[in-house]
Amino acid sequence: MTTDLRFPIGPFRAKFTYSRREISAATGALAKAPKALRAAVHGLDAKQLSTPYRPGGWSVAQVVHHIADSQVHGYIRLKIALTESTPTIRTYDQDAWARLPDADTSIAASLDLFEALQIRWARSMRALDDAAMMRCFEHPDDGTLTVADGIALYAWHAQHHIAHITTLRSRRGW
Ligand code: NI
């Protein structure tokens, strides 16, 4: 069996419509993600944080910063979808962001940022009704997505990147 190190929990598949149970599972997974990320990096030293999670991949620290950066985008994307008529959201060059000088081994602020954003996110999303969950936004690469897709996507996204770190640790015996 071959394992694709880039997709330790498999790829995300948008479904467009979700049951209440699926949305609450995704919201719950997101709510737990900041703590899970802290646990995933707990005790790692600077050398370990600079280690790529796979050959040619981002370092552990870059993965942590990316989770925070991505959650910033996700938060803004869903707020825009809730307040504008089928807006087209802005993409960004993730690899270029990961190479910016702030993507170093100082990860504490990104852990805090992810946690704080998640508190705001959970507060906003828990209060939404079915009509709000079906509001759409246009992703320039991925097409039309609903707010519910966005919640499911970001829940997957956090777990996907946390698994990059936890699978690296288990392969290395860290
Ligand atoms: Ni990502």
Side-chain angles (χ1 to χ4, degrees):
M1 189 181 122
T2 55
T3 309
D4 186 339
L5 296 178
R6 290 171 306 166
F7 291 98
I9 63 167
F12 174 70
R13 295 187 205 289
K15 291 177 57 182
F16 207 73
T17 53
Y18 295 81
S19 66
R20 274 274 144 196
R21 179 189 290 236
E22 287 169 321
I23 291 169
S24 96
T27 309
L30 261 175
K32 289 186 195 137
K35 203 169 161 198
L37 179 59
R38 283 187 198 279
V41 296
H42 183 74
L44 294 180
D45 61 27
K47 189 157 177 253
Q48 290 168 320
L49 289 170
S50 321
T51 303
Y53 82 86
R54 66 173 170 87
W58 287 340
S59 69
V60 172
Q62 285 174 310
V63 169
V64 172
H65 297 305
H66 167 72
I67 292 173
D69 288 344
S70 159
Q71 188 76 13
V72 171
H73 282 270
Y75 179 72
I76 291 170
R77 287 170 180 181
L78 293 196
K79 289 268 183 156
I80 289 174
L82 291 170
T83 53
E84 297 177 21
S85 177
T86 318
T88 298
I89 55 89
R90 181 82 165 76
T91 58
Y92 65 108
D93 184 338
Q94 303 185 7
D95 283 312
W97 281 47
R99 288 191 301 270
L100 289 172
D102 68 320
D104 60 12
T105 57
S106 326
I107 58 169
S110 283
L111 294 173
D112 289 344
L113 176 59
F114 181 45
E115 187 167 31
L117 274 164
Q118 196 41 58
I119 292 167
R120 287 299 311 269
W121 176 302
R123 209 176 283 166
S124 326
M125 297 302 141
R126 276 203 195 102
L128 298 181
D129 61 14
D130 291 347
M133 286 292 174
M134 288 301 289
R135 289 183 70 92
C136 292
F137 62 96
E138 293 291 331
H139 189 293
D141 304 322
D142 301 337
T144 308
L145 297 170
T146 61
V147 167
D149 278 327
I151 295 170
L153 169 63
Y154 282 94
W156 169 85
H157 185 259
Q159 291 172 320
H160 161 76
H161 284 297
I162 291 168
H164 286 155
I165 300 169
T166 55
T167 55
L168 170 71
R169 291 189 77 153
S170 75
R171 288 199 308 278
R172 297 282 180 116
W174 290 350

